[in-house]
Amino acid sequence: MTETTPLEISHRDLRDRPSFRNNTLLAGIGHQIYDELADKITVIHYKPNEIIFEENEPGGSLYLIANGSVKISKKGRAGQQETLAYLMESDFFGEMALVDAGKRSAQAAAVDHVVAGRIDRDGWDLLLERVAHQVLGNFTRSVTKRLRHNNQHFIEEVMRSERLSLIGSTISSIVHDMNNPISCILCACEVIRKSNPDGLVDEATELIRGAVKNMENMTRELIDFSRGNTQLKLEPILVADLLEEIETQFDRYRPQNELRFDVVYSGAIQADRHRLSRVFNNLIRNACEAMAKTDEKVLMFAVKQVGGGLRFEISDTGCGIPADLLPRIFEPFVTHGKSNGTGLGLAISKAVVEAHHGTISVKSSEQGTTFTIDLPLQA
């Protein structure tokens, strides 16, 4: 696989071409040198979640970030991408492949819409020839800053892994101890149902069985996530049925909040019904909590077919997510504005969506937040 170039723009073809003059790597270089370098910068636009380059790819260029944020990650437990860093506007990345002519040591992916400038070997050689002192000084300061950040990051990563391991072992132990009581409850339900053939009794016992099943599914979800392995039970489900279930479960948030649907597609999709429903319920709960202190409390749930896939959009009119937290919002134990939040809801949601071979992204402002989930129609 080669580095992607979704939309390359020549500087001669675009009057409002982004400037990289304030990029950390180019600090202190003169205008004449920058103008020469600008001829060698290729501007590229990346969509949210788009891969810029993969780990172990051959690398022959570095990237300057004009807008957006980029996630740097490596494969970790169970083959999952483990985040190393988030790089923001005016930062740069991919430089090591130019320095040592080696392969990419990590994956780089756009978190949101990213505008980047690619500098190939010719541009790098120009910088080393004309302004080596400034560029290498900038490079050294940036690497030192990243090393300090990574030290703290790895400490947090070890603590996070230990917490996940502890959660997994604790939940496994609890599930083991709960098996006998759960079996007794289910057996008692069946006895009551058969000895009292009545519509109300049937409804009550079905509610109990459903609640027990939800308990089992939630604990299994936590165990799978702690092990880095989300197992799905795929089946064809109707989007219309899924929306009906969401509508029913939203009753707990009424009348304070209003739910609106914009459904263009209501046909079938191959998915794990329980896991997908849990993802949507988690996003809806978060949205209602975010709208608790706003005057307008409207949640929009949109479904439409995009190409060969299905797109779900959940938009609220809440207070929004802080910009500095947004790139890390899907990381485990990251939470905001919740005194009793675990910080696992969105991390588990992301794992479930990716297990369906889909993607989840977020946009947020002071006017509200929109989560977008793209899933293939056939998993």
Side-chain angles (χ1 to χ4, degrees):
M1 181 177 178
T2 57
E3 295 171 11
T4 57
T5 53
L7 181 58
E8 297 187 2
I9 302 176
S10 167
H11 74 284
R12 295 184 179 88
D13 298 333
L14 192 64
R15 293 180 182 274
D16 57 347
R17 186 176 191 269
S19 173
F20 301 94
R21 191 70 184 83
N22 296 324
N23 192 275
T24 305
L25 184 65
L26 306 181
I29 73 169
H31 292 288
Q32 182 179 350
I33 301 300
Y34 176 77
D35 290 341
E36 291 182 41
L37 178 66
D39 288 339
K40 301 180 181 296
I41 297 177
T42 302
V43 178
I44 309 175
H45 291 249
Y46 293 97
K47 299 175 182 178
N49 298 312
E50 191 161 9
I51 305 299
I52 299 173
F53 56 72
E54 292 280 10
E55 185 177 349
N56 293 322
E57 277 186 8
S61 56
L62 66 86
Y63 295 82
L64 312 177
I65 304 175
N67 296 105
S69 59
V70 173
K71 181 175 76 171
I72 308 298
S73 62
K74 288 181 68 71
K75 283 188 178 179
R77 59 191 181 97
Q80 299 295 313
Q81 291 296 133
E82 301 288 346
T83 302
L84 300 177
Y86 286 98
L87 305 179
M88 311 302 288
E89 183 177 323
S90 299
D91 213 331
F92 62 93
F93 62 97
E95 70 285 348
M96 296 307 297
L98 281 178
V99 173
D100 62 11
K103 294 183 177 180
R104 300 293 187 188
S105 59
Q107 180 195 86
V111 176
D112 44 19
H113 177 249
V114 169
V115 180
R118 188 182 67 202
I119 298 180
D120 296 326
R121 174 64 64 180
D122 288 347
W124 180 246
D125 289 343
L126 172 67
L127 289 172
L128 293 184
E129 178 185 344
R130 303 291 299 276
V131 284
H133 178 73
Q134 290 95 327
V135 169
L136 293 179
N138 295 337
F139 176 82
T140 302
R141 281 188 290 272
S142 178
V143 169
T144 301
K145 181 180 177 182
R146 290 181 190 176
L147 285 174
R148 289 177 175 173
H149 172 269
N150 286 343
N151 285 340
Q152 181 63 32
H153 173 78
F154 288 132
I155 291 172
E156 294 173 354
E157 192 71 17
V158 169
M159 293 176 64
R160 189 188 79 171
S161 296
E162 289 179 350
R163 291 171 72 182
L164 284 173
S165 177
L166 180 61
I167 287 173
S169 60
T170 301
I171 294 296
S172 295
S173 176
I174 291 173
V175 169
H176 181 268
D177 293 339
M178 285 173 58
N179 280 338
N180 286 337
I182 285 176
S183 297
C184 291
I185 292 172
L186 293 177
C187 287
C189 275
E190 190 64 18
V191 170
I192 293 171
R193 186 182 68 83
K194 288 184 177 180
S195 59
N196 296 275
D198 176 78
L200 183 60
V201 172
D202 286 345
E203 185 177 345
T205 53
E206 191 60 33
L207 284 173
I208 294 172
R209 293 174 67 87
V212 170
K213 187 66 176 177
N214 284 338
M215 288 170 54
E216 291 178 329
N217 287 333
M218 283 188 285
T219 53
R220 173 53 55 189
E221 200 172 66
L222 279 171
I223 292 172
D224 285 353
F225 180 73
S226 68
R227 294 173 179 172
N229 181 26
T230 301
Q231 299 180 1
L232 303 178
K233 294 181 180 179
L234 297 176
E235 59 180 340
I237 60 174
L238 290 176
V239 173
D241 292 343
L242 195 62
L243 297 181
E244 184 178 346
E245 183 179 332
I246 291 171
E247 173 82 25
T248 301
Q249 294 182 354
F250 192 80
D251 286 343
R252 74 188 73 172
Y253 303 112
R254 292 188 172 102
Q256 293 85 357
N257 301 283
E258 179 185 354
L259 175 62
R260 299 176 185 172
F261 286 107
D262 180 14
V263 181
V264 180
Y265 178 90
S266 58
I269 183 174
Q270 193 80 4
D272 185 315
R273 184 190 188 96
H274 166 75
R275 299 269 180 146
L276 202 55
S277 178
R278 287 270 295 160
V279 168
F280 292 138
N281 286 331
N282 180 61
L283 294 176
I284 289 171
R285 182 176 63 252
N286 289 347
C288 291
E289 290 174 355
M291 294 188 293
K293 296 182 180 179
T294 60
D295 294 331
E296 187 179 13
K297 304 178 191 297
V298 178
L299 182 70
M300 177 65 73
F301 197 107
V303 187
K304 59 184 175 181
Q305 192 169 352
V306 179
L310 200 58
R311 174 167 294 174
F312 299 87
E313 289 183 340
I314 300 95
S315 304
D316 64 55
T317 55
C319 56
I321 301 170
D324 60 333
L325 194 65
L326 207 54
R328 301 185 294 115
I329 199 65
F330 294 108
E331 296 295 315
F333 307 114
V334 174
T335 185
H336 169 69
K338 296 182 181 180
S339 57
N340 59 345
T342 63
L344 290 176
L346 288 177
I348 293 175
S349 296
K350 183 174 185 287
V352 170
V353 170
E354 291 180 346
H356 282 86
H357 305 293
T359 61
I360 181 171
S361 59
V362 59
K363 293 182 179 179
S364 189
S365 68
E366 293 180 354
Q367 285 72 47
T369 300
T370 298
F371 282 89
T372 301
I373 296 175
D374 288 306
L375 296 176
L377 285 173
Q378 297 294 326

